[in-house]
Amino acid sequence: ARPQVQSKWTKMLRLREPRIRPYDFTDVKGGIFTDRADEDFMFVHDSNYFALPTRPLGEIAALHLSYRPLGKKPPRVSIHLGGPEGEKVGEGELEWRPGPVSTKRIPLKATKGEHLLYLRFYGEPDRKLSGIYSALFEPHLPGEEREGYGDIVTYIDELLAAEDSIRTPIMLDLPDGKQRVTQVFNRGNWLVPTDTVVPSVPEIFPSLPQDTSSARLAFARWIIDPENPLTARVTVNRFWAELFGQGIVTTPEDFGSQGAKPSHPALLDWMAGEFVEEMDWSMKDLLRLIVHSATYQQASAASPEMLAADPYNTLLARSPRVRLSAEQVRDQMLAVSGLLSGKMYGPSVMPQQPDGLWDAVVYSGLRWKRSEGEDRYRRSLYTFLRRSIPHPLLTTFDGTNREVCLSRRTLTNTPLQALLTLNDPEVLEGATNLVNVVSPSNGSITAKISTLYEHLFYRPPLEEDMLVLLQLYHDALVQYQENPVASAELVGVENPDLAALTVVVNALFNLDEFLTKS
Protein backbone atom coordinates (compact mmCIF):
# COMPACT_ATOMS: atom_id res chain seq x y z
CA ALA A 1 0.00 0.00 0.00
CA ARG A 2 3.02 2.32 0.44
CA PRO A 3 3.30 3.29 -3.29
CA GLN A 4 -0.42 4.15 -3.31
CA VAL A 5 0.02 6.36 -0.22
CA GLN A 6 3.03 8.09 -1.77
CA SER A 7 1.14 8.62 -5.02
CA LYS A 8 -1.83 10.12 -3.18
CA TRP A 9 0.34 12.56 -1.24
CA THR A 10 2.45 13.50 -4.26
CA LYS A 11 -0.69 14.26 -6.27
CA MET A 12 -2.12 16.38 -3.48
CA LEU A 13 1.04 18.39 -2.80
CA ARG A 14 2.04 19.01 -6.41
CA LEU A 15 -1.33 19.34 -8.14
CA ARG A 16 -3.76 20.18 -5.32
CA GLU A 17 -5.91 17.32 -6.54
CA PRO A 18 -8.45 15.82 -6.27
CA ARG A 19 -10.24 19.11 -5.65
CA ILE A 20 -13.99 19.30 -5.14
CA ARG A 21 -15.25 22.19 -7.26
CA PRO A 22 -18.47 24.21 -6.81
CA TYR A 23 -20.29 22.31 -9.56
CA ASP A 24 -19.99 19.18 -7.35
CA PHE A 25 -21.49 20.86 -4.28
CA THR A 26 -24.93 19.52 -3.30
CA ASP A 27 -27.89 20.77 -1.23
CA VAL A 28 -26.82 24.37 -1.87
CA LYS A 29 -28.68 26.97 0.21
CA GLY A 30 -28.19 30.56 -0.97
CA GLY A 31 -24.84 30.08 -2.69
CA ILE A 32 -24.48 31.56 -6.20
CA PHE A 33 -22.18 29.75 -8.63
CA THR A 34 -20.70 31.91 -11.42
CA ASP A 35 -19.39 29.63 -14.13
CA ARG A 36 -17.31 32.09 -16.16
CA ALA A 37 -13.79 31.82 -17.50
CA ASP A 38 -12.54 34.59 -15.23
CA GLU A 39 -14.76 33.93 -12.19
CA ASP A 40 -15.37 30.28 -11.36
CA PHE A 41 -16.57 30.52 -7.73
CA MET A 42 -19.49 29.79 -5.39
CA PHE A 43 -20.30 33.10 -3.66
CA VAL A 44 -21.87 32.77 -0.21
CA HIS A 45 -23.69 35.06 2.22
CA ASP A 46 -24.50 34.84 5.91
CA SER A 47 -26.19 31.51 6.89
CA ASN A 48 -25.62 29.99 3.43
CA TYR A 49 -24.49 26.38 3.31
CA PHE A 50 -23.74 23.52 0.95
CA ALA A 51 -22.72 19.87 1.20
CA LEU A 52 -19.61 18.08 -0.05
CA PRO A 53 -19.81 14.59 -1.57
CA THR A 54 -19.73 11.66 0.86
CA ARG A 55 -16.28 10.62 2.05
CA PRO A 56 -14.99 7.98 4.50
CA LEU A 57 -14.04 10.44 7.23
CA GLY A 58 -11.86 8.01 9.15
CA GLU A 59 -9.16 8.60 6.51
CA ILE A 60 -9.43 12.41 6.61
CA ALA A 61 -7.31 14.67 8.87
CA ALA A 62 -8.33 18.11 7.61
CA LEU A 63 -10.20 20.08 4.96
CA HIS A 64 -8.41 22.70 2.85
CA LEU A 65 -10.84 25.36 1.67
CA SER A 66 -9.67 27.61 -1.20
CA TYR A 67 -11.53 30.92 -1.36
CA ARG A 68 -11.46 34.50 -2.56
CA PRO A 69 -11.50 36.97 0.35
CA LEU A 70 -14.26 39.60 0.20
CA GLY A 71 -15.02 42.47 2.54
CA LYS A 72 -13.04 43.69 5.52
CA LYS A 73 -14.35 41.40 8.26
CA PRO A 74 -13.34 37.73 7.83
CA PRO A 75 -16.32 35.35 7.80
CA ARG A 76 -16.41 32.08 9.73
CA VAL A 77 -17.20 28.61 8.47
CA SER A 78 -18.34 25.62 10.47
CA ILE A 79 -18.38 22.00 9.27
CA HIS A 80 -21.22 19.67 10.26
CA LEU A 81 -22.06 15.99 9.83
CA GLY A 82 -25.13 14.99 7.83
CA GLY A 83 -26.81 18.40 7.72
CA PRO A 84 -26.41 22.14 8.40
CA GLU A 85 -27.49 21.59 12.04
CA GLY A 86 -25.58 18.33 12.53
CA GLU A 87 -22.63 17.62 14.81
CA LYS A 88 -19.86 20.18 14.40
CA VAL A 89 -16.56 18.53 13.44
CA GLY A 90 -14.51 21.60 12.48
CA GLU A 91 -14.53 25.38 12.15
CA GLY A 92 -12.27 28.22 11.06
CA GLU A 93 -12.00 31.86 10.07
CA LEU A 94 -11.49 32.78 6.41
CA GLU A 95 -9.04 35.60 6.99
CA TRP A 96 -7.94 37.95 4.24
CA ARG A 97 -4.60 37.17 2.52
CA PRO A 98 -2.92 38.72 -0.53
CA GLY A 99 -3.40 37.02 -3.85
CA PRO A 100 -6.40 36.00 -5.97
CA VAL A 101 -7.13 32.89 -3.89
CA SER A 102 -6.34 31.97 -0.28
CA THR A 103 -6.40 28.54 1.37
CA LYS A 104 -7.52 27.73 4.90
CA ARG A 105 -6.68 24.42 6.60
CA ILE A 106 -9.47 23.29 8.92
CA PRO A 107 -8.65 20.23 11.10
CA LEU A 108 -11.52 17.75 11.37
CA LYS A 109 -12.61 15.82 14.44
CA ALA A 110 -11.88 12.09 14.16
CA THR A 111 -15.05 10.48 12.80
CA LYS A 112 -15.81 6.93 11.64
CA GLY A 113 -17.89 6.00 8.63
CA GLU A 114 -18.99 7.85 5.48
CA HIS A 115 -20.88 11.10 5.91
CA LEU A 116 -21.96 14.20 4.02
CA LEU A 117 -20.09 17.24 5.26
CA TYR A 118 -22.02 20.52 5.36
CA LEU A 119 -20.14 23.84 5.29
CA ARG A 120 -22.07 26.73 6.86
CA PHE A 121 -20.94 30.37 6.67
CA TYR A 122 -21.41 33.27 9.12
CA GLY A 123 -20.61 36.96 8.73
CA GLU A 124 -21.98 40.38 7.97
CA PRO A 125 -25.64 40.22 6.85
CA ASP A 126 -26.58 41.26 3.30
CA ARG A 127 -22.98 41.10 2.06
CA LYS A 128 -21.03 38.61 0.03
CA LEU A 129 -18.76 36.88 2.52
CA SER A 130 -16.46 34.95 0.23
CA GLY A 131 -16.09 33.22 -3.12
CA ILE A 132 -15.43 29.49 -2.62
CA TYR A 133 -13.13 28.03 -5.26
CA SER A 134 -12.59 24.44 -4.09
CA ALA A 135 -12.31 22.01 -1.20
CA LEU A 136 -9.53 19.46 -0.74
CA PHE A 137 -9.43 16.63 1.78
CA GLU A 138 -6.09 16.02 3.48
CA PRO A 139 -5.58 12.34 4.38
CA HIS A 140 -3.87 11.26 7.59
CA LEU A 141 -0.11 11.26 7.24
CA PRO A 142 1.36 7.82 8.10
CA GLY A 143 4.29 7.44 10.49
CA GLU A 144 2.85 9.28 13.48
CA GLU A 145 5.08 7.28 15.82
CA ARG A 146 8.31 8.31 14.07
CA GLU A 147 10.62 11.13 15.12
CA GLY A 148 10.10 14.48 13.38
CA TYR A 149 6.47 13.70 12.48
CA GLY A 150 5.23 17.03 13.83
CA ASP A 151 7.74 19.04 11.81
CA ILE A 152 6.71 17.25 8.62
CA VAL A 153 3.02 17.90 9.31
CA THR A 154 3.75 21.60 9.85
CA TYR A 155 5.82 21.77 6.66
CA ILE A 156 3.04 20.11 4.64
CA ASP A 157 0.48 22.52 6.08
CA GLU A 158 2.65 25.46 4.97
CA LEU A 159 2.92 24.03 1.44
CA LEU A 160 -0.80 23.46 1.14
CA ALA A 161 -1.62 26.87 2.59
CA ALA A 162 0.67 28.68 0.12
CA GLU A 163 -0.87 30.94 -2.49
CA ASP A 164 -3.09 28.84 -4.72
CA SER A 165 -2.18 28.65 -8.41
CA ILE A 166 -5.63 28.36 -9.93
CA ARG A 167 -4.62 29.89 -13.26
CA THR A 168 -2.55 26.90 -14.41
CA PRO A 169 -4.89 24.24 -15.90
CA ILE A 170 -3.91 20.62 -15.31
CA MET A 171 -5.30 17.69 -17.30
CA LEU A 172 -6.30 14.76 -15.10
CA ASP A 173 -8.60 11.74 -15.27
CA LEU A 174 -11.85 12.25 -13.41
CA PRO A 175 -12.15 9.94 -10.39
CA ASP A 176 -14.43 6.90 -10.47
CA GLY A 177 -18.06 7.88 -10.25
CA LYS A 178 -17.54 11.25 -11.96
CA GLN A 179 -16.52 10.06 -15.38
CA ARG A 180 -18.82 11.04 -18.21
CA VAL A 181 -21.16 8.47 -19.72
CA THR A 182 -21.04 8.71 -23.52
CA GLN A 183 -23.95 7.42 -25.57
CA VAL A 184 -24.72 7.22 -29.27
CA PHE A 185 -27.55 9.55 -30.27
CA ASN A 186 -30.25 8.14 -32.48
CA ARG A 187 -29.73 9.83 -35.87
CA GLY A 188 -27.84 12.60 -34.06
CA ASN A 189 -30.77 13.53 -31.81
CA TRP A 190 -29.29 14.20 -28.37
CA LEU A 191 -32.73 13.69 -26.82
CA VAL A 192 -32.72 10.03 -27.88
CA PRO A 193 -29.54 8.38 -26.52
CA THR A 194 -28.99 4.72 -27.37
CA ASP A 195 -25.92 2.51 -26.84
CA THR A 196 -23.28 3.44 -24.28
CA VAL A 197 -19.74 3.52 -25.67
CA VAL A 198 -16.42 3.27 -23.85
CA PRO A 199 -12.92 4.47 -24.80
CA SER A 200 -11.37 2.15 -27.38
CA VAL A 201 -9.66 2.07 -30.78
CA PRO A 202 -10.89 0.93 -34.23
CA GLU A 203 -11.09 -2.84 -34.60
CA ILE A 204 -8.62 -2.75 -37.49
CA PHE A 205 -5.85 -1.99 -34.94
CA PRO A 206 -4.61 -4.11 -32.03
CA SER A 207 -6.83 -3.80 -28.96
CA LEU A 208 -5.97 -1.65 -25.95
CA PRO A 209 -3.90 -3.27 -23.17
CA GLN A 210 -6.18 -4.69 -20.49
CA ASP A 211 -3.73 -4.65 -17.57
CA THR A 212 -4.03 -0.92 -16.75
CA SER A 213 -6.50 0.88 -14.52
CA SER A 214 -6.52 4.10 -16.58
CA ALA A 215 -7.86 4.41 -20.12
CA ARG A 216 -5.33 7.18 -20.77
CA LEU A 217 -2.43 5.00 -19.64
CA ALA A 218 -3.73 2.10 -21.73
CA PHE A 219 -3.92 4.37 -24.78
CA ALA A 220 -0.40 5.71 -24.17
CA ARG A 221 0.97 2.18 -24.03
CA TRP A 222 -1.02 1.20 -27.10
CA ILE A 223 0.47 4.09 -29.08
CA ILE A 224 4.03 2.74 -28.72
CA ASP A 225 3.15 -0.95 -28.77
CA PRO A 226 5.30 -2.69 -31.44
CA GLU A 227 2.12 -4.36 -32.68
CA ASN A 228 0.64 -0.97 -33.51
CA PRO A 229 1.42 -0.38 -37.20
CA LEU A 230 0.63 3.33 -37.19
CA THR A 231 2.85 5.25 -34.76
CA ALA A 232 6.25 4.28 -36.14
CA ARG A 233 5.19 4.88 -39.75
CA VAL A 234 3.71 8.30 -38.98
CA THR A 235 6.86 9.30 -37.07
CA VAL A 236 9.24 8.07 -39.76
CA ASN A 237 7.20 9.83 -42.44
CA ARG A 238 7.32 13.17 -40.60
CA PHE A 239 11.09 13.03 -40.19
CA TRP A 240 11.40 12.12 -43.87
CA ALA A 241 9.24 15.13 -44.76
CA GLU A 242 11.43 17.46 -42.67
CA LEU A 243 14.53 16.33 -44.56
CA PHE A 244 13.12 15.80 -48.07
CA GLY A 245 10.49 18.52 -48.16
CA GLN A 246 7.65 16.02 -48.51
CA GLY A 247 6.93 12.69 -46.90
CA ILE A 248 6.73 9.24 -48.43
CA VAL A 249 3.07 9.84 -47.65
CA THR A 250 2.65 13.43 -48.82
CA THR A 251 -0.26 14.11 -46.45
CA PRO A 252 1.30 13.68 -42.99
CA GLU A 253 -1.82 15.21 -41.47
CA ASP A 254 -3.97 12.40 -42.94
CA PHE A 255 -2.66 8.84 -42.85
CA GLY A 256 -6.10 7.40 -43.58
CA SER A 257 -8.01 6.37 -46.65
CA GLN A 258 -8.61 10.01 -47.62
CA GLY A 259 -4.88 10.80 -47.61
CA ALA A 260 -2.23 10.17 -50.24
CA LYS A 261 -0.85 6.69 -50.79
CA PRO A 262 2.85 6.11 -49.94
CA SER A 263 5.20 6.50 -52.88
CA HIS A 264 7.56 3.85 -51.43
CA PRO A 265 5.51 1.64 -49.09
CA ALA A 266 8.23 -1.00 -48.67
CA LEU A 267 10.76 1.67 -47.66
CA LEU A 268 8.31 3.14 -45.15
CA ASP A 269 7.63 -0.29 -43.65
CA TRP A 270 11.33 -1.13 -43.36
CA MET A 271 12.28 2.16 -41.72
CA ALA A 272 9.38 1.86 -39.27
CA GLY A 273 10.57 -1.61 -38.28
CA GLU A 274 14.15 -0.41 -37.84
CA PHE A 275 12.96 2.58 -35.82
CA VAL A 276 11.13 0.38 -33.31
CA GLU A 277 13.19 -2.82 -33.14
CA GLU A 278 16.78 -1.79 -33.86
CA MET A 279 16.78 1.88 -32.78
CA ASP A 280 14.41 1.54 -29.81
CA TRP A 281 12.54 4.70 -30.88
CA SER A 282 15.74 6.78 -31.02
CA MET A 283 15.05 9.86 -33.15
CA LYS A 284 18.76 10.64 -33.36
CA ASP A 285 19.46 7.20 -34.85
CA LEU A 286 16.59 7.63 -37.29
CA LEU A 287 17.94 10.97 -38.50
CA ARG A 288 21.42 9.49 -38.81
CA LEU A 289 20.05 6.62 -40.91
CA ILE A 290 18.34 8.98 -43.36
CA VAL A 291 21.09 11.60 -43.77
CA HIS A 292 23.79 8.92 -44.19
CA SER A 293 21.85 7.27 -47.00
CA ALA A 294 23.04 7.54 -50.60
CA THR A 295 19.58 8.84 -51.50
CA TYR A 296 19.91 11.88 -49.26
CA GLN A 297 23.56 12.54 -50.19
CA GLN A 298 22.90 12.83 -53.93
CA ALA A 299 23.44 16.09 -55.76
CA SER A 300 20.38 18.29 -56.09
CA ALA A 301 21.13 19.23 -59.70
CA ALA A 302 18.58 17.96 -62.19
CA SER A 303 18.60 17.86 -65.97
CA PRO A 304 15.60 19.22 -67.93
CA GLU A 305 14.66 15.63 -68.80
CA MET A 306 14.71 14.63 -65.12
CA LEU A 307 12.60 17.64 -64.12
CA ALA A 308 10.07 16.86 -66.84
CA ALA A 309 9.81 13.19 -65.82
CA ASP A 310 9.75 13.76 -62.04
CA PRO A 311 9.14 17.43 -61.13
CA TYR A 312 8.41 16.72 -57.44
CA ASN A 313 11.29 14.26 -56.95
CA THR A 314 8.86 11.49 -56.05
CA LEU A 315 11.29 8.89 -57.43
CA LEU A 316 14.12 10.23 -55.22
CA ALA A 317 16.55 10.47 -58.13
CA ARG A 318 18.19 13.61 -56.69
CA SER A 319 18.73 15.32 -53.38
CA PRO A 320 15.86 17.53 -52.20
CA ARG A 321 15.81 21.31 -52.54
CA VAL A 322 13.73 22.70 -49.67
CA ARG A 323 13.17 26.36 -48.74
CA LEU A 324 14.21 26.97 -45.15
CA SER A 325 11.46 27.46 -42.60
CA ALA A 326 10.67 30.95 -41.33
CA GLU A 327 12.65 30.47 -38.14
CA GLN A 328 15.60 28.98 -40.03
CA VAL A 329 15.75 31.92 -42.47
CA ARG A 330 16.21 34.40 -39.63
CA ASP A 331 18.49 32.18 -37.54
CA GLN A 332 20.76 31.39 -40.48
CA MET A 333 21.11 35.07 -41.33
CA LEU A 334 22.04 35.86 -37.71
CA ALA A 335 24.42 32.90 -37.51
CA VAL A 336 26.44 33.65 -40.66
CA SER A 337 26.62 37.35 -39.77
CA GLY A 338 28.03 36.58 -36.32
CA LEU A 339 25.09 38.04 -34.40
CA LEU A 340 23.24 34.90 -33.26
CA SER A 341 23.19 34.51 -29.47
CA GLY A 342 23.82 31.09 -27.97
CA LYS A 343 21.88 31.97 -24.82
CA MET A 344 19.55 29.18 -23.75
CA TYR A 345 16.22 29.08 -21.88
CA GLY A 346 14.45 31.94 -20.16
CA PRO A 347 11.46 34.09 -21.14
CA SER A 348 10.49 35.16 -24.65
CA VAL A 349 12.29 38.10 -26.26
CA MET A 350 11.24 40.90 -28.58
CA PRO A 351 13.73 41.32 -31.44
CA GLN A 352 13.58 44.12 -33.97
CA GLN A 353 10.39 44.57 -35.95
CA PRO A 354 8.71 47.59 -37.61
CA ASP A 355 7.38 50.17 -35.18
CA GLY A 356 3.67 50.63 -34.60
CA LEU A 357 2.42 47.13 -35.47
CA TRP A 358 0.81 46.68 -32.07
CA ASP A 359 -0.76 50.15 -32.08
CA ALA A 360 -3.65 48.82 -34.13
CA VAL A 361 -4.84 46.77 -31.15
CA VAL A 362 -6.69 49.43 -29.21
CA TYR A 363 -8.15 47.12 -26.57
CA SER A 364 -4.79 46.14 -25.12
CA GLY A 365 -2.09 48.07 -23.31
CA LEU A 366 0.61 45.66 -24.45
CA ARG A 367 3.47 47.14 -26.46
CA TRP A 368 6.40 45.65 -28.34
CA LYS A 369 9.40 46.66 -26.22
CA ARG A 370 12.54 45.82 -28.16
CA SER A 371 14.93 43.61 -26.21
CA GLU A 372 18.40 44.88 -25.42
CA GLY A 373 21.83 43.30 -25.75
CA GLU A 374 22.17 39.74 -26.98
CA ASP A 375 18.47 39.08 -26.36
CA ARG A 376 17.79 40.89 -29.64
CA TYR A 377 19.67 38.14 -31.47
CA ARG A 378 18.40 35.02 -29.79
CA ARG A 379 17.05 32.13 -31.86
CA SER A 380 13.58 32.65 -33.33
CA LEU A 381 12.33 29.93 -31.01
CA TYR A 382 12.37 32.55 -28.23
CA THR A 383 10.57 35.31 -30.16
CA PHE A 384 7.49 36.58 -28.33
CA LEU A 385 4.44 35.40 -30.24
CA ARG A 386 1.11 37.17 -30.25
CA ARG A 387 -1.45 35.31 -32.29
CA SER A 388 -3.33 38.40 -33.46
CA ILE A 389 -0.10 40.13 -34.60
CA PRO A 390 2.68 37.59 -35.27
CA HIS A 391 6.21 38.70 -36.11
CA PRO A 392 6.20 39.91 -39.75
CA LEU A 393 9.35 38.04 -40.82
CA LEU A 394 7.97 34.74 -39.54
CA THR A 395 4.58 35.38 -41.15
CA THR A 396 6.08 36.34 -44.51
CA PHE A 397 8.03 33.09 -44.69
CA ASP A 398 4.96 30.94 -43.89
CA GLY A 399 5.44 30.67 -40.15
CA THR A 400 2.33 29.64 -38.24
CA ASN A 401 0.42 32.05 -36.00
CA ARG A 402 -0.29 29.17 -33.55
CA GLU A 403 -4.05 29.54 -33.77
CA VAL A 404 -4.37 25.90 -34.84
CA CYS A 405 -2.09 22.87 -34.65
CA LEU A 406 -0.35 22.12 -37.95
CA SER A 407 1.43 18.92 -38.95
CA ARG A 408 3.03 20.67 -41.93
CA ARG A 409 3.47 24.16 -43.29
CA THR A 410 2.64 25.17 -46.82
CA LEU A 411 5.70 26.79 -48.41
CA THR A 412 5.12 29.73 -50.73
CA ASN A 413 7.33 31.85 -52.96
CA THR A 414 6.11 35.45 -53.06
CA PRO A 415 7.55 38.88 -53.97
CA LEU A 416 6.90 39.98 -50.39
CA GLN A 417 9.60 37.57 -49.20
CA ALA A 418 12.16 39.21 -51.47
CA LEU A 419 11.08 42.67 -50.33
CA LEU A 420 11.55 41.61 -46.71
CA THR A 421 15.04 40.13 -47.13
CA LEU A 422 16.11 43.23 -49.07
CA ASN A 423 14.68 45.81 -46.67
CA ASP A 424 14.22 44.35 -43.19
CA PRO A 425 16.34 46.35 -40.66
CA GLU A 426 17.52 43.17 -38.92
CA VAL A 427 18.70 41.67 -42.22
CA LEU A 428 20.53 44.89 -43.10
CA GLU A 429 22.14 44.93 -39.66
CA GLY A 430 23.31 41.37 -40.16
CA ALA A 431 24.78 42.24 -43.57
CA THR A 432 26.71 45.18 -42.09
CA ASN A 433 28.06 43.10 -39.24
CA LEU A 434 29.15 40.36 -41.66
CA VAL A 435 31.14 42.87 -43.72
CA ASN A 436 32.87 44.19 -40.58
CA VAL A 437 33.70 40.72 -39.27
CA VAL A 438 34.62 38.76 -42.39
CA SER A 439 35.72 41.16 -45.13
CA PRO A 440 39.53 41.74 -45.20
CA SER A 441 40.38 45.33 -44.27
CA ASN A 442 43.01 45.71 -46.99
CA GLY A 443 42.74 44.01 -50.31
CA SER A 444 41.01 44.40 -53.62
CA ILE A 445 37.27 44.69 -53.79
CA THR A 446 37.24 41.42 -55.74
CA ALA A 447 38.98 39.68 -52.83
CA LYS A 448 36.52 41.18 -50.33
CA ILE A 449 33.45 40.07 -52.27
CA SER A 450 34.94 36.63 -52.89
CA THR A 451 35.65 36.19 -49.17
CA LEU A 452 32.09 37.18 -48.25
CA TYR A 453 30.66 34.88 -50.92
CA GLU A 454 32.68 31.87 -49.75
CA HIS A 455 31.66 32.54 -46.15
CA LEU A 456 28.00 32.33 -47.12
CA PHE A 457 28.04 29.52 -49.68
CA TYR A 458 31.22 27.52 -48.95
CA ARG A 459 32.43 27.87 -52.54
CA PRO A 460 34.04 30.61 -54.62
CA PRO A 461 31.74 32.64 -56.87
CA LEU A 462 31.50 31.78 -60.53
CA GLU A 463 32.99 34.29 -62.95
CA GLU A 464 29.59 35.47 -64.19
CA ASP A 465 28.39 35.86 -60.57
CA MET A 466 31.44 37.94 -59.69
CA LEU A 467 30.82 40.28 -62.63
CA VAL A 468 27.24 40.93 -61.46
CA LEU A 469 28.30 41.50 -57.84
CA LEU A 470 31.13 43.85 -58.85
CA GLN A 471 28.71 45.88 -60.96
CA LEU A 472 26.29 46.05 -58.02
CA TYR A 473 29.08 47.18 -55.70
CA HIS A 474 30.28 49.96 -58.03
CA ASP A 475 26.74 51.23 -58.69
CA ALA A 476 26.06 51.38 -54.94
CA LEU A 477 29.44 52.97 -54.23
CA VAL A 478 28.79 55.81 -56.69
CA GLN A 479 25.37 56.41 -55.13
CA TYR A 480 26.72 56.57 -51.55
CA GLN A 481 29.71 58.71 -52.54
CA GLU A 482 27.29 61.24 -53.96
CA ASN A 483 25.08 60.99 -50.87
CA PRO A 484 27.18 60.10 -47.76
CA VAL A 485 24.19 60.74 -45.49
CA ALA A 486 22.42 57.77 -47.10
CA SER A 487 25.36 55.52 -46.21
CA ALA A 488 25.13 56.69 -42.60
CA GLU A 489 21.43 55.84 -42.56
CA LEU A 490 22.25 52.32 -43.80
CA VAL A 491 25.34 51.38 -41.74
CA GLY A 492 25.48 54.02 -39.00
CA VAL A 493 28.54 55.90 -40.28
CA GLU A 494 29.36 57.86 -43.42
CA ASN A 495 31.33 55.10 -45.11
CA PRO A 496 30.34 54.58 -48.76
CA ASP A 497 32.58 51.49 -49.15
CA LEU A 498 31.01 49.75 -46.13
CA ALA A 499 27.51 50.67 -47.34
CA ALA A 500 28.20 49.35 -50.85
CA LEU A 501 29.52 46.04 -49.49
CA THR A 502 26.46 45.81 -47.23
CA VAL A 503 24.25 46.12 -50.30
CA VAL A 504 26.19 43.25 -51.92
CA VAL A 505 25.80 40.99 -48.86
CA ASN A 506 22.13 41.92 -48.60
CA ALA A 507 21.67 40.78 -52.20
CA LEU A 508 23.42 37.49 -51.36
CA PHE A 509 21.05 37.01 -48.43
CA ASN A 510 18.22 37.20 -50.96
CA LEU A 511 19.51 34.45 -53.27
CA ASP A 512 17.68 31.13 -53.48
CA GLU A 513 20.96 29.40 -52.68
CA PHE A 514 21.00 31.13 -49.30
CA LEU A 515 17.32 30.48 -48.53
CA THR A 516 17.21 26.87 -49.77
CA LYS A 517 18.58 23.67 -48.30
CA SER A 518 20.05 21.69 -51.16
Side-chain angles (χ1 to χ4, degrees):
R2 182 176 296 275
Q4 294 180 349
V5 173
Q6 291 177 344
S7 175
K8 182 185 295 185
W9 274 92
T10 299
K11 188 175 182 180
M12 186 181 70
L13 290 172
R14 296 183 61 186
L15 305 179
R16 309 287 179 89
E17 293 289 347
R19 300 179 194 258
I20 303 171
R21 298 301 316 285
Y23 41 75
D24 290 321
F25 298 165
T26 59
D27 198 9
V28 177
K29 170 65 181 303
I32 301 173
F33 177 47
T34 58
D35 187 8
R36 299 198 324 231
D38 60 338
E39 201 170 69
D40 191 6
F41 293 85
M42 174 77 75
F43 289 96
V44 293
H45 296 73
D46 181 53
S47 299
N48 290 174
Y49 60 80
F50 55 78
L52 301 179
T54 303
R55 286 287 189 278
L57 298 183
E59 303 174 1
I60 305 301
L63 175 73
H64 292 259
L65 194 64
S66 294
Y67 60 95
R68 173 181 290 178
L70 297 173
K72 297 180 179 180
K73 185 177 180 181
R76 295 192 60 79
V77 58
S78 59
I79 304 175
H80 304 263
L81 289 182
E85 304 295 340
E87 179 187 354
K88 185 186 294 184
V89 293
E91 62 180 335
E93 187 176 82
L94 305 184
E95 60 269 16
W96 185 91
R97 295 175 183 172
V101 172
S102 302
T103 299
K104 176 70 175 181
R105 181 183 186 272
I106 306 174
L108 297 180
K109 178 182 175 181
T111 306
K112 295 182 180 180
E114 295 189 359
H115 301 272
L116 283 173
L117 285 183
Y118 277 75
L119 276 64
R120 188 162 188 167
F121 299 87
Y122 304 91
E124 299 177 73
D126 302 323
R127 291 182 61 90
K128 282 184 182 178
L129 303 182
S130 183
I132 307 302
Y133 178 74
S134 68
L136 174 67
F137 286 113
E138 176 189 328
H140 284 290
L141 183 67
E144 187 173 358
E145 71 284 353
R146 301 182 65 176
E147 184 179 356
Y149 178 84
D151 295 336
I152 295 176
V153 171
T154 301
Y155 177 62
I156 289 174
D157 288 347
E158 292 173 353
L159 289 177
L160 291 173
E163 182 177 334
D164 212 339
S165 177
I166 69 169
R167 301 184 185 279
T168 303
I170 299 171
M171 187 77 72
L172 292 173
D173 275 336
L174 290 172
D176 293 338
K178 293 187 178 181
Q179 296 181 356
R180 172 182 172 180
V181 176
T182 303
Q183 293 178 285
V184 176
F185 299 143
N186 184 18
R187 303 183 69 177
N189 185 350
W190 62 274
L191 295 174
V192 189
T194 57
D195 298 334
T196 299
V197 294
V198 296
S200 188
V201 294
E203 293 183 357
I204 192 174
F205 296 116
S207 59
L208 290 172
Q210 301 299 317
D211 57 344
T212 57
S213 58
S214 167
R216 290 180 183 271
L217 179 60
F219 184 64
R221 291 177 175 171
W222 173 85
I223 286 177
I224 59 170
D225 191 320
E227 297 299 318
N228 181 356
L230 194 59
T231 306
R233 286 170 175 79
V234 169
T235 305
V236 166
N237 188 68
R238 291 196 177 186
F239 277 95
W240 188 275
E242 286 295 319
L243 294 170
F244 281 85
Q246 64 179 13
I248 296 174
V249 176
T250 57
T251 54
E253 72 281 359
D254 189 348
F255 240 69
S257 59
Q258 300 299 312
K261 293 182 179 180
S263 59
H264 300 73
L267 174 61
L268 183 63
D269 290 348
W270 176 80
M271 283 199 300
E274 291 288 301
F275 183 48
V276 176
E277 300 296 338
E278 300 298 326
M279 302 176 188
D280 193 26
W281 301 92
S282 170
M283 298 180 183
K284 183 181 290 187
D285 289 345
L286 175 62
L287 285 171
R288 183 182 294 113
L289 172 69
I290 297 175
V291 299
H292 283 185
S293 67
T295 302
Y296 184 77
Q297 295 182 13
Q298 298 175 103
S300 59
S303 64
E305 294 78 15
M306 186 182 294
L307 286 174
D310 184 20
Y312 299 107
N313 197 25
T314 304
L315 302 178
L316 305 176
R318 58 188 184 275
S319 183
R321 287 174 54 85
V322 184
R323 216 278 317 285
L324 298 178
S325 68
E327 293 83 357
Q328 289 171 334
V329 168
R330 177 177 177 272
D331 292 354
Q332 174 170 261
M333 182 275 298
L334 292 175
V336 298
S337 61
L339 292 174
L340 185 66
S341 168
K343 184 178 178 181
M344 300 285 285
Y345 316 118
S348 299
V349 296
M350 294 183 174
Q352 188 162 330
Q353 75 168 18
D355 295 331
L357 286 182
W358 283 23
D359 293 344
V361 186
V362 297
Y363 56 81
S364 171
L366 292 175
R367 288 293 179 266
W368 184 273
K369 185 179 180 181
R370 188 176 302 167
S371 299
E372 301 296 334
E374 67 172 323
D375 282 347
R376 290 178 57 189
Y377 310 113
R378 297 191 68 187
R379 292 171 57 199
S380 300
L381 172 71
Y382 297 103
T383 298
F384 186 92
L385 184 67
R386 187 174 186 180
R387 286 181 295 179
S388 57
I389 311 177
H391 193 282
L393 185 146
L394 302 183
T395 303
T396 303
F397 280 95
D398 310 310
T400 174
N401 58 11
R402 311 292 177 89
E403 290 183 356
V404 294
C405 180
L406 298 177
S407 56
R408 64 168 170 163
R409 297 182 185 179
T410 302
L411 298 182
T412 63
N413 190 0
T414 68
L416 192 59
Q417 294 166 354
L419 286 171
L420 189 143
T421 52
L422 287 172
N423 296 281
D424 186 88
E426 197 169 42
V427 177
L428 292 170
E429 184 182 2
T432 303
N433 194 73
L434 178 60
V435 173
N436 287 325
V437 171
V438 174
S439 179
S441 57
N442 38 9
S444 67
I445 189 59
T446 301
K448 291 182 178 182
I449 293 177
S450 181
T451 300
L452 291 167
Y453 193 99
E454 290 189 44
H455 180 79
L456 292 178
F457 302 115
Y458 293 93
R459 66 173 179 84
L462 300 175
E463 184 177 351
E464 54 267 31
D465 294 336
M466 179 59 75
L467 291 175
V468 173
L469 294 174
L470 285 172
Q471 185 62 50
L472 175 62
Y473 168 81
H474 287 298
D475 291 345
L477 182 63
V478 170
Q479 177 183 343
Y480 289 121
Q481 285 175 338
E482 295 175 352
N483 186 5
V485 175
S487 69
E489 293 176 350
L490 179 66
V491 298
V493 294
E494 291 189 8
N495 187 331
D497 181 67
L498 175 60
L501 282 173
T502 297
V503 170
V504 171
V505 173
N506 192 33
L508 296 178
F509 280 167
N510 195 52
L511 294 180
D512 280 349
E513 189 171 352
F514 184 76
L515 302 173
T516 304
K517 177 177 71 70
S518 58

